Amino acid sequence: MFTEHEIAIPSVLKVGDGMLGKMGEILSGKDISHVVLYLGNGLIDLFGDRVVKSVEAAGIKIHDMKELDSVDIDDIIDLAFAVDNEVQAICGIGGGKVIDAAKYASYLRKMQFISVPTSTSSDGFTSSSASLLVNGKRTSVPAKMAYGIVVDTGVLKTAPLKFIHSGVGDLTAKITSLYDWVYEEQCGATVIDDFALMMAKKAVNSFVRTPFTSITDELFLKELVDSLAMSGIANEIAGSSAPVSGSEHLISHALDSFLERPELHGVQVGVATYLMALVQEHRVERVKTVFTDTGFFDYVETLGMKKADYIKAVDMAPSVKPHRHTYLHEEKYREKAKELIATDEILSRILV
Amino acid sequence: MFTEHEIAIPSVLKVGDGMLGKMGEILSGKDISHVVLYLGNGLIDLFGDRVVKSVEAAGIKIHDMKELDSVDIDDIIDLAFAVDNEVQAICGIGGGKVIDAAKYASYLRKMQFISVPTSTSSDGFTSSSASLLVNGKRTSVPAKMAYGIVVDTGVLKTAPLKFIHSGVGDLTAKITSLYDWVYEEQCGATVIDDFALMMAKKAVNSFVRTPFTSITDELFLKELVDSLAMSGIANEIAGSSAPVSGSEHLISHALDSFLERPELHGVQVGVATYLMALVQEHRVERVKTVFTDTGFFDYVETLGMKKADYIKAVDMAPSVKPHRHTYLHEEKYREKAKELIATDEILSRILV
Amino acid sequence: MFTEHEIAIPSVLKVGDGMLGKMGEILSGKDISHVVLYLGNGLIDLFGDRVVKSVEAAGIKIHDMKELDSVDIDDIIDLAFAVDNEVQAICGIGGGKVIDAAKYASYLRKMQFISVPTSTSSDGFTSSSASLLVNGKRTSVPAKMAYGIVVDTGVLKTAPLKFIHSGVGDLTAKITSLYDWVYEEQCGATVIDDFALMMAKKAVNSFVRTPFTSITDELFLKELVDSLAMSGIANEIAGSSAPVSGSEHLISHALDSFLERPELHGVQVGVATYLMALVQEHRVERVKTVFTDTGFFDYVETLGMKKADYIKAVDMAPSVKPHRHTYLHEEKYREKAKELIATDEILSRILV
Amino acid sequence: MFTEHEIAIPSVLKVGDGMLGKMGEILSGKDISHVVLYLGNGLIDLFGDRVVKSVEAAGIKIHDMKELDSVDIDDIIDLAFAVDNEVQAICGIGGGKVIDAAKYASYLRKMQFISVPTSTSSDGFTSSSASLLVNGKRTSVPAKMAYGIVVDTGVLKTAPLKFIHSGVGDLTAKITSLYDWVYEEQCGATVIDDFALMMAKKAVNSFVRTPFTSITDELFLKELVDSLAMSGIANEIAGSSAPVSGSEHLISHALDSFLERPELHGVQVGVATYLMALVQEHRVERVKTVFTDTGFFDYVETLGMKKADYIKAVDMAPSVKPHRHTYLHEEKYREKAKELIATDEILSRILV
């Protein structure tokens, strides 16, 4: 009757410099000998040789290797059902799109998914859902937790800094999303999972308290990846994205729906996180410090994002997930948010 | 073939002021309506009323309530098989002994275990093993993860400070135990579970980086409890105590075996943690800072623990768990440790 | 390390007269209060009222009810992602197609699947895979075990007898498929799961030894459904369809690929089962008795199925699943099979 | 929320002639390389050589081998905690006592349990509970399902026939225990698990319908063992012994409590099964046929069991498990039972 709460966690989590060149030994260490490799657009040139050499040296058969550039569910179905039956694991190497495509193909075929993000722009590499195009509409669809996560910090360092900023934004967002979640329970609109809450908190706290000199520090990047992975587990424990996706994510989803060229997910989310911390009057100093010290605010200042768009997005936020009850689901907090966009000093500096 | 790694996690984790008085609603919120309550020696006077009132107000039947003062496996068998069949959960309220007794009785009867520590002297309240007397010998026996963990920080605050120091020692010890574990893998003597390693790190890092003004701060105590709980999960993921129990624990176990009156587990462990950080030349400053700022070193200084005992314990350490391979399983590091005991400034101050 | 082998089994299995009119209480007994109902072509007229009345009387909200007539994966994706988020269970009521469509929609949305077959033409209602059209090609895709199976024997009785014959054929087929599986292991081409083998055997033995006077006997139908359900579990334990789908299924799949109007799955399979029992020289008398006593052979005789088609299908059989190693994957047994088709007395009577 | 019902099943089930001599390859096939072997009283002489030779030939280290003759929980604790840490599996070879002792030692140490019954006197080899002496009182204690079941039918054949009769009695008993369980649900005293009910039915039906010429037929013994194993799974699914232990078991437990020399468990149970079939007026002919054809009644006739004892046991039955609601929990059925003991022709022949 009172069964233990059981969750699945990745069996492999390798984060370090040069990991792409160790894919072969990592996979064979788990008795995987048949794989397909999917890479993001343009990444075969960059990383193909390194990965193939390592994988083949380990005696693993590569049944297929190609670049993907679609998250349309119809394309992924074609992809998935063309994979040979002997394949044991599908590796997605690259950014959010190829990660989501490989993750979903694995789910459709009940094969293992190896998540190999080459940037940390979001926590997608560690979540058990995927963001796909279903009938032309971006939709979050259930999939499954990665069997393995492999992150080459050497690769992260050489990617444009904006991807790190985006990851910092997406992780710091847990501060406001968790506060929304607790609020939602207080309003009687949900029941919190205690452990998920605690773990997501630990993930973000461990990160925001990490000392660093540069955001390309090995230690900084490792903490960022580990914390994102751990918040993915919190998500899995909770059985929903609530702990990791609150009002700040609603704002970003709203922006995505009307902006012609949205910014990186975590960048939009990060700005909304600072805004919501002000609205919630909770840990504002911590958020300010992280975004100042990492250069996040400075980076945002270069983008020309618009106050008007954020104001519009605040109004749209509750309709993105009408069944939830975040701060932005109450009019008074939407009014407060809009006023803050207009008047807050930092927001006035980084938005136009 | 490549099944996900599944672990059990507690369904309830309530940490806060006044939680003892909310036991009833916490239990009934999980549809538990038949319990037994076991309390530590002398605790019925202190907490009995508060708990009984809350539990009965929630319509829960208390089949038995008594104080326990034994961890002899024979006593626990008698206890366990005398519990009524309708009982759904066994609550252990108190220190390490009653927690272990209740935990094991739950395992023997396949009932749920509710862990209610009234001090944080160790991570026993969150581990899936129990330390019992088997034929008069202290033995670590497999049991199961708590279904619920309830911690009243108000109670923790009023307990003698030494229990908090002990908890701080046991948690900080993860810094050296994790380093031992990694070393053991490098020596080819084990295979690390990546996720367990990462989570135990997050647990300790989140804690040691928490700002505090006093060790009885609500936030400090909550971080301490949460981090201990999370390292318990790391233990569960790893399927062994390796991530949370390294050379510093071997020293403490050795001390227990020959000292007539050992100090609190986490106190002995904490001193050994500082020693091993020196031996490992890893994060010494961090350990020093934690033990200085929390007053741990100052407390130890009042105890009169002996250098000679620690030296003896270092020599005995490898024989405590001969199949492991920590730093202390190599002679050169035992020599180094003994030299440091003799010469290190802090150790010279706190030991006699 | 040596973890128990864990499998999922349906939580609900209700087989009896009038069960369609008890859908409401069955669902609400499991705390399900939001559903969609998908019915086979023309079945809303026949069963709609009965089901809706029962479900609504139990206070369950029906978010959508419609007839389905497609197993094209693209259609099912549209269907699945249009289902409201609050829905807890997707009920598929009807024959193989609607069962497979509802099963797959449930998998895509991680909702519970309630399998309500109105005929027993195959074991599809209890398997964890679905047979869909992927790019116009019939493909077996992984899905998940039903949460509930509800079978109204009153409905089964009023359906044309051919559906019962088909179910008898599909179940009796386990005799030859299990023998193929054992042979495959002897040839070193697979490793059998002992428990799956045993349970599938029990399923078929319990059925073929059931005394009956008519194939519409309540007891006979209940045994048929239960045995099919249990062989579905064997399938789940084995992690593949091997125990329930051997050479006799390869013949039927081959027939499907070239016949313009294939007969019912279990009818084709049943004839092939008799043939393969002759080839394997294993339990021929048992198979003959079942198919004679149930009137299966007599029914087949009315269909005008062709010897030439079966001969062609025998030749194609190994190419249907080239990685397996059934009797038909060896030339000498294909020759033997073809000779038996030409010469066996019963086959000469029932085929033209 | 509506999670699948998951159950553990044995990973190994080997039943056949000569299996004792194949223990080594069976264990090593599952990567087990460290074991202890416990045998029943006097069995080292009989089987020791055969097993040791096979196990050692497979390169498996035997850490301990001894005969056991106690099911006292205190003895088993001593036994269990003396087992070396490297041991992966505890093998119990023999009758009910050594099986239960080895099963419980495995549970206490979280090692795998290999169940190797040398007789089929009961379904203990396949159940997840053990019958131990706790403070001198026979008590059913929770333990865990075997990881492997190995049965040498060659050994079963050479054992005295009474053990086979006992197994037949214990298995046939499922007919009355299942009917009690259904009745209990009708009385509102329990909720049946549909799948457990169905599987236990299949287990007994498959067995009682098996044609045989002698009860030492290979096929007969295999069906007996398989059916007992499957009813063990039904037990596991139900989460209680209710499906496999009804009023007929209560009578046997009552007899055990006052008879100086009780007969074999399954023999006592079998007589009670016939009695209860008469009381329930359910499948009497089937039970009569099985017990006549197997020679069970003839065997019982030789024992001199007393009508008076059965009458006394009927009166005591409800008090054995006061929380259940079998037929014997109602006075009118106890009266009917006692009258049948006095008057039924068969009972008058086989009891004195």
Side-chain angles (χ1 to χ4, degrees):
Chain A
M1 183 157 36
F2 303 100
T3 52
E4 278 76 18
H5 187 165
E6 295 213 339
I7 56 152
I9 55 162
S11 293
V12 175
L13 175 70
K14 300 291 179 196
V15 185
D17 201 357
M19 282 298 163
L20 274 189
K22 294 181 186 159
M23 287 280 293
E25 58 185 276
I26 292 170
L27 294 170
S28 68
K30 291 291 175 180
D31 292 330
I32 293 174
S33 48
H34 294 267
V35 301
V36 292
L37 305 176
Y38 298 140
L39 293 96
N41 231 358
L43 296 189
I44 288 187
D45 267 6
L46 281 176
F47 308 125
D49 264 13
R50 215 179 309 176
V51 173
V52 169
K53 223 166 130 184
S54 162
V55 169
E56 290 187 342
I60 295 167
K61 182 170 173 191
I62 301 172
H63 286 249
D64 192 14
M65 174 166 84
K66 67 172 81 150
E67 294 186 353
L68 301 183
D69 194 32
S70 165
V71 287
D72 191 303
I73 196 169
D74 296 330
D75 295 336
I76 297 171
I77 281 168
D78 292 351
L79 184 79
F81 291 106
V83 172
D84 290 351
N85 285 326
E86 299 113 300
V87 168
Q88 297 159 327
I90 296 178
C91 307
I93 304 169
K97 281 169 98 172
V98 71
I99 294 284
D100 274 349
K103 186 194 294 175
Y104 204 62
S106 309
Y107 179 64
L108 290 176
R109 290 298 301 275
K110 288 205 178 162
M111 291 166 173
Q112 295 304 337
F113 169 50
I114 309 295
S115 180
V116 190
T118 54
S119 80
T120 56
S121 55
S122 82
D123 59 4
F125 70 89
T126 185
S127 79
S128 60
S129 60
S131 178
L132 305 184
L133 281 178
V134 181
N135 291 323
K137 210 186 133 215
R138 201 81 179 194
T139 308
S140 177
V141 306
K144 66 171 181 175
M145 183 53 67
Y147 174 78
I149 297 174
V150 180
V151 187
D152 191 330
T153 49
V155 168
L156 299 188
K157 277 173 216 171
T158 59
L161 289 185
K162 66 179 176 178
F163 291 116
I164 301 180
H165 288 309
S166 180
V168 170
D170 206 27
L171 182 56
T172 308
K174 280 38 168 171
I175 290 177
T176 49
S177 64
L178 290 171
Y179 210 68
D180 270 326
W181 200 30
V182 170
Y183 184 67
E184 198 165 13
E185 186 183 58
Q186 283 162 356
C187 298
T190 194
V191 176
I192 279 183
D193 182 290
D194 304 326
F195 236 86
L197 178 68
M198 184 270 276
M199 281 183 57
K201 269 191 189 170
K202 289 282 174 199
V204 68
N205 284 346
S206 169
F207 172 71
V208 298
R209 293 171 184 156
T210 300
F212 66 96
T213 53
S214 154
I215 61 172
T216 56
D217 280 0
E218 179 73 16
L219 177 66
F220 181 87
L221 290 172
K222 197 163 160 31
E223 282 276 347
L224 178 58
V225 171
D226 282 351
S227 286
L228 287 169
M230 203 159 95
S231 79
I233 299 296
N235 189 331
E236 180 80 6
I237 294 177
S240 90
S241 64
V244 299
S245 167
S247 47
E248 74 296 326
H249 271 72
L250 299 181
I251 291 175
S252 176
H253 292 317
L255 289 172
D256 288 341
S257 72
F258 65 77
L259 286 183
E260 204 163 322
R261 296 173 52 102
E263 295 297 332
L264 282 174
H265 170 76
V267 172
Q268 293 184 162
V269 162
V271 174
T273 296
Y274 171 66
L275 169 64
M276 290 310 304
L278 291 170
V279 171
Q280 296 170 347
E281 299 179 10
H282 172 67
R283 301 190 77 182
V284 175
E285 284 316 303
R286 173 59 75 184
V287 173
K288 209 188 287 184
T289 304
V290 172
F291 286 159
T292 303
D293 294 355
T294 58
F296 178 87
F297 282 148
D298 293 342
Y299 168 69
V300 172
E301 203 175 343
T302 67
L303 298 174
M305 294 171 81
K306 300 199 182 101
K307 283 188 169 194
D309 292 336
Y310 269 87
I311 287 171
K312 185 174 170 188
V314 162
D315 277 327
M316 290 173 65
S319 67
V320 174
K321 294 197 178 173
H323 294 294
R324 293 206 50 191
H325 192 117
T326 69
Y327 275 80
L328 289 190
H329 285 75
E330 296 190 17
E331 202 192 338
K332 68 176 168 190
Y333 292 117
R334 287 196 298 278
E335 291 310 311
K336 184 174 176 188
K338 289 187 284 184
E339 205 182 297
L340 282 160
I341 294 172
T343 59
D344 179 73
E345 207 174 316
I346 289 179
L347 292 174
S348 296
R349 171 164 72 86
I350 64 175
L351 301 180
V352 296
Chain B
M1 184 158 33
F2 303 99
T3 53
E4 278 76 19
H5 187 165
E6 296 214 338
I7 55 152
I9 56 164
S11 291
V12 175
L13 174 71
K14 300 291 181 197
V15 185
D17 201 358
M19 281 298 161
L20 273 189
K22 292 179 187 161
M23 286 281 292
E25 57 185 274
I26 292 170
L27 293 170
S28 69
K30 292 290 174 179
D31 292 330
I32 292 173
S33 48
H34 295 268
V35 300
V36 293
L37 305 176
Y38 298 140
L39 292 95
N41 230 359
L43 296 189
I44 288 187
D45 266 7
L46 281 175
F47 309 124
D49 263 14
R50 213 179 309 175
V51 174
V52 168
K53 223 166 133 184
S54 162
V55 169
E56 289 186 342
I60 294 168
K61 181 170 175 191
I62 300 172
H63 287 250
D64 192 15
M65 175 166 84
K66 66 173 80 145
E67 293 185 353
L68 301 184
D69 194 29
S70 164
V71 287
D72 191 302
I73 196 168
D74 295 330
D75 295 337
I76 298 171
I77 281 167
D78 291 351
L79 183 80
F81 291 107
V83 172
D84 290 351
N85 285 324
E86 299 114 299
V87 167
Q88 297 158 326
I90 296 178
C91 307
I93 304 169
K97 280 170 97 173
V98 71
I99 295 285
D100 274 348
K103 186 193 296 176
Y104 204 63
S106 310
Y107 179 64
L108 290 176
R109 291 298 301 275
K110 287 204 178 163
M111 291 167 171
Q112 294 304 337
F113 169 51
I114 310 295
S115 179
V116 191
T118 55
S119 81
T120 56
S121 55
S122 82
D123 59 4
F125 70 89
T126 185
S127 79
S128 60
S129 60
S131 178
L132 305 184
L133 280 178
V134 181
N135 291 324
K137 208 184 136 217
R138 201 80 178 195
T139 308
S140 177
V141 305
K144 67 171 181 175
M145 182 54 66
Y147 175 77
I149 297 173
V150 180
V151 186
D152 191 330
T153 49
V155 169
L156 298 188
K157 275 173 218 172
T158 59
L161 290 186
K162 65 178 177 179
F163 292 115
I164 302 182
H165 288 309
S166 180
V168 170
D170 205 27
L171 183 55
T172 308
K174 279 39 168 171
I175 290 177
T176 48
S177 64
L178 291 171
Y179 211 67
D180 269 327
W181 200 29
V182 170
Y183 184 66
E184 197 165 13
E185 187 182 56
Q186 283 162 356
C187 297
T190 194
V191 176
I192 280 182
D193 182 290
D194 304 327
F195 237 85
L197 177 68
M198 185 271 277
M199 282 184 58
K201 270 192 190 170
K202 288 283 174 199
V204 68
N205 284 346
S206 171
F207 172 70
V208 297
R209 293 171 184 156
T210 301
F212 67 96
T213 53
S214 152
I215 61 172
T216 56
D217 280 1
E218 179 73 15
L219 178 65
F220 181 87
L221 289 171
K222 197 163 160 29
E223 283 276 347
L224 178 58
V225 170
D226 283 352
S227 286
L228 286 168
M230 205 161 93
S231 79
I233 298 296
N235 189 332
E236 179 80 6
I237 295 177
S240 90
S241 65
V244 300
S245 167
S247 46
E248 74 296 325
H249 272 72
L250 299 182
I251 291 174
S252 176
H253 292 317
L255 289 172
D256 287 342
S257 71
F258 65 79
L259 286 182
E260 204 161 325
R261 297 173 51 103
E263 294 297 330
L264 283 173
H265 170 76
V267 171
Q268 293 183 162
V269 161
V271 174
T273 296
Y274 171 64
L275 170 63
M276 290 312 303
L278 291 170
V279 171
Q280 295 170 346
E281 299 181 10
H282 173 68
R283 302 190 77 183
V284 175
E285 284 316 303
R286 175 58 77 185
V287 174
K288 209 187 287 184
T289 304
V290 172
F291 286 160
T292 302
D293 293 357
T294 58
F296 178 87
F297 282 146
D298 292 342
Y299 168 67
V300 172
E301 202 175 342
T302 68
L303 298 174
M305 294 171 81
K306 299 197 183 104
K307 282 187 170 193
D309 291 336
Y310 269 87
I311 286 170
K312 184 173 172 189
V314 163
D315 278 327
M316 290 173 65
S319 67
V320 175
K321 294 195 179 175
H323 293 294
R324 293 206 51 191
H325 192 117
T326 69
Y327 274 80
L328 287 190
H329 284 75
E330 296 190 16
E331 202 192 337
K332 68 176 168 187
Y333 292 117
R334 287 196 299 277
E335 291 311 311
K336 186 174 175 186
K338 289 187 284 183
E339 204 183 299
L340 283 160
I341 294 173
T343 59
D344 179 72
E345 208 174 315
I346 289 179
L347 291 175
S348 296
R349 171 163 72 87
I350 65 176
L351 301 180
V352 297
Chain C
M1 183 159 32
F2 302 99
T3 54
E4 278 76 19
H5 187 165
E6 296 214 336
I7 56 153
I9 55 163
S11 291
V12 175
L13 174 71
K14 300 291 181 197
V15 184
D17 201 359
M19 282 298 161
L20 273 189
K22 293 179 186 161
M23 286 281 294
E25 57 185 274
I26 292 170
L27 293 170
S28 69
K30 293 289 175 179
D31 292 329
I32 293 173
S33 47
H34 294 268
V35 300
V36 293
L37 305 175
Y38 297 140
L39 292 96
N41 230 0
L43 296 189
I44 288 187
D45 267 7
L46 281 176
F47 309 125
D49 264 15
R50 214 181 306 175
V51 173
V52 169
K53 224 166 133 182
S54 162
V55 169
E56 290 187 342
I60 296 167
K61 181 170 173 192
I62 300 172
H63 286 250
D64 191 15
M65 174 166 84
K66 67 172 81 147
E67 293 185 353
L68 300 184
D69 193 30
S70 164
V71 288
D72 191 304
I73 196 168
D74 295 329
D75 294 336
I76 297 172
I77 281 168
D78 292 351
L79 183 80
F81 291 106
V83 172
D84 290 352
N85 286 325
E86 299 114 297
V87 168
Q88 298 157 326
I90 297 178
C91 307
I93 304 169
K97 281 169 98 173
V98 71
I99 294 286
D100 275 347
K103 186 194 295 174
Y104 204 62
S106 310
Y107 179 64
L108 290 175
R109 290 298 302 275
K110 287 205 178 163
M111 292 167 171
Q112 294 305 337
F113 168 51
I114 310 295
S115 179
V116 191
T118 55
S119 80
T120 56
S121 57
S122 82
D123 59 5
F125 70 88
T126 184
S127 79
S128 61
S129 61
S131 177
L132 305 183
L133 280 178
V134 181
N135 291 324
K137 209 185 135 215
R138 201 80 178 197
T139 308
S140 177
V141 306
K144 66 171 181 175
M145 182 54 66
Y147 174 78
I149 297 173
V150 179
V151 186
D152 190 330
T153 49
V155 168
L156 299 189
K157 276 172 217 170
T158 60
L161 289 186
K162 65 178 176 180
F163 291 116
I164 302 180
H165 288 309
S166 181
V168 170
D170 207 26
L171 183 55
T172 308
K174 279 40 167 170
I175 290 176
T176 48
S177 64
L178 290 171
Y179 211 67
D180 270 327
W181 201 29
V182 170
Y183 183 66
E184 199 166 12
E185 187 182 57
Q186 282 163 357
C187 297
T190 194
V191 176
I192 280 182
D193 182 289
D194 303 327
F195 237 85
L197 177 69
M198 185 271 277
M199 282 183 57
K201 269 191 190 170
K202 289 284 176 200
V204 67
N205 283 347
S206 171
F207 172 71
V208 297
R209 293 171 184 157
T210 301
F212 66 96
T213 52
S214 153
I215 61 173
T216 56
D217 281 359
E218 179 73 17
L219 177 67
F220 181 87
L221 289 171
K222 197 162 160 30
E223 283 276 347
L224 177 58
V225 171
D226 283 351
S227 285
L228 286 168
M230 204 161 93
S231 79
I233 299 297
N235 188 333
E236 180 80 5
I237 295 177
S240 90
S241 64
V244 299
S245 167
S247 46
E248 74 296 326
H249 271 72
L250 299 182
I251 291 175
S252 176
H253 292 318
L255 289 172
D256 287 344
S257 72
F258 65 79
L259 287 181
E260 204 161 323
R261 296 172 54 102
E263 295 297 330
L264 284 174
H265 170 76
V267 172
Q268 293 183 160
V269 161
V271 173
T273 296
Y274 171 64
L275 169 64
M276 290 311 303
L278 291 170
V279 170
Q280 295 170 346
E281 300 181 9
H282 173 69
R283 301 190 78 182
V284 176
E285 284 315 303
R286 174 59 75 184
V287 174
K288 208 187 286 185
T289 304
V290 173
F291 286 160
T292 303
D293 293 356
T294 58
F296 178 87
F297 282 147
D298 293 342
Y299 167 68
V300 172
E301 202 176 344
T302 68
L303 298 174
M305 293 171 83
K306 299 197 183 103
K307 283 187 169 193
D309 291 337
Y310 269 87
I311 286 170
K312 184 173 171 187
V314 164
D315 278 326
M316 292 174 64
S319 67
V320 174
K321 295 196 178 174
H323 293 294
R324 293 206 51 191
H325 192 117
T326 69
Y327 274 79
L328 289 190
H329 285 74
E330 296 189 17
E331 203 193 336
K332 67 177 168 185
Y333 292 117
R334 288 197 299 276
E335 291 311 310
K336 185 174 175 186
K338 289 187 285 184
E339 205 182 299
L340 283 160
I341 296 174
T343 60
D344 178 73
E345 209 174 315
I346 290 178
L347 292 175
S348 296
R349 171 165 72 87
I350 65 176
L351 301 181
V352 297
Chain D
M1 182 158 36
F2 303 100
T3 53
E4 279 76 18
H5 186 166
E6 296 214 338
I7 56 153
I9 56 163
S11 292
V12 175
L13 175 71
K14 300 292 180 197
V15 184
D17 201 357
M19 282 298 163
L20 274 189
K22 293 181 186 160
M23 288 281 293
E25 58 185 277
I26 292 170
L27 294 169
S28 69
K30 292 290 176 181
D31 292 329
I32 292 174
S33 48
H34 294 267
V35 301
V36 292
L37 305 176
Y38 298 141
L39 293 96
N41 230 357
L43 296 190
I44 288 187
D45 266 7
L46 281 175
F47 308 125
D49 263 13
R50 216 180 307 177
V51 173
V52 169
K53 222 165 132 184
S54 162
V55 169
E56 290 187 343
I60 295 167
K61 181 169 174 192
I62 300 172
H63 287 249
D64 192 14
M65 175 166 85
K66 67 173 79 150
E67 294 186 353
L68 302 183
D69 194 32
S70 164
V71 287
D72 192 302
I73 196 168
D74 295 330
D75 294 335
I76 298 172
I77 282 168
D78 292 350
L79 183 80
F81 291 106
V83 172
D84 291 350
N85 285 325
E86 300 113 299
V87 168
Q88 297 158 327
I90 295 179
C91 307
I93 304 169
K97 281 169 99 173
V98 70
I99 294 285
D100 274 349
K103 187 194 295 176
Y104 204 62
S106 310
Y107 179 64
L108 290 176
R109 291 298 301 274
K110 287 207 178 161
M111 291 167 173
Q112 294 305 337
F113 169 50
I114 310 295
S115 180
V116 190
T118 54
S119 80
T120 56
S121 56
S122 81
D123 59 3
F125 70 89
T126 185
S127 79
S128 61
S129 59
S131 179
L132 305 185
L133 281 179
V134 181
N135 291 324
K137 209 185 135 217
R138 200 82 180 194
T139 308
S140 177
V141 305
K144 67 171 179 174
M145 182 54 67
Y147 175 78
I149 298 173
V150 179
V151 187
D152 191 329
T153 48
V155 168
L156 299 189
K157 275 172 217 171
T158 60
L161 289 185
K162 66 179 177 179
F163 292 115
I164 301 181
H165 288 309
S166 181
V168 169
D170 206 28
L171 183 56
T172 308
K174 281 37 169 171
I175 290 177
T176 49
S177 64
L178 291 171
Y179 210 68
D180 270 327
W181 201 29
V182 170
Y183 184 67
E184 198 166 13
E185 186 182 59
Q186 282 163 356
C187 298
T190 193
V191 176
I192 280 183
D193 182 289
D194 304 327
F195 236 85
L197 178 68
M198 184 272 277
M199 281 184 56
K201 269 191 189 170
K202 289 284 175 199
V204 67
N205 284 346
S206 170
F207 172 71
V208 299
R209 292 171 185 156
T210 300
F212 66 95
T213 52
S214 154
I215 61 173
T216 56
D217 280 0
E218 178 72 17
L219 177 66
F220 180 87
L221 290 172
K222 197 162 161 33
E223 283 277 347
L224 178 58
V225 171
D226 283 352
S227 286
L228 287 167
M230 203 160 95
S231 79
I233 298 296
N235 189 331
E236 179 81 6
I237 294 177
S240 90
S241 64
V244 299
S245 167
S247 47
E248 74 295 326
H249 271 72
L250 300 181
I251 291 175
S252 175
H253 292 318
L255 289 172
D256 287 341
S257 72
F258 65 79
L259 286 183
E260 203 162 323
R261 297 172 53 102
E263 295 296 331
L264 283 174
H265 170 77
V267 171
Q268 293 183 163
V269 162
V271 173
T273 296
Y274 172 65
L275 170 63
M276 290 310 303
L278 291 169
V279 171
Q280 296 170 346
E281 299 181 10
H282 172 67
R283 299 190 78 182
V284 176
E285 284 314 305
R286 173 59 76 183
V287 173
K288 207 187 288 184
T289 303
V290 172
F291 286 159
T292 303
D293 293 355
T294 58
F296 178 87
F297 283 148
D298 293 341
Y299 168 69
V300 172
E301 203 176 343
T302 68
L303 298 174
M305 294 172 81
K306 300 198 182 103
K307 283 187 169 194
D309 292 336
Y310 268 87
I311 286 170
K312 184 173 170 188
V314 163
D315 277 327
M316 291 173 65
S319 67
V320 175
K321 295 197 177 173
H323 293 295
R324 292 206 52 190
H325 192 117
T326 69
Y327 274 80
L328 290 190
H329 285 76
E330 296 190 18
E331 201 191 338
K332 69 176 168 189
Y333 292 117
R334 287 198 297 278
E335 292 310 311
K336 184 174 174 186
K338 289 187 284 184
E339 204 184 298
L340 282 160
I341 294 172
T343 60
D344 179 72
E345 207 175 317
I346 288 178
L347 292 174
S348 297
R349 172 163 72 86
I350 64 175
L351 302 180
V352 295

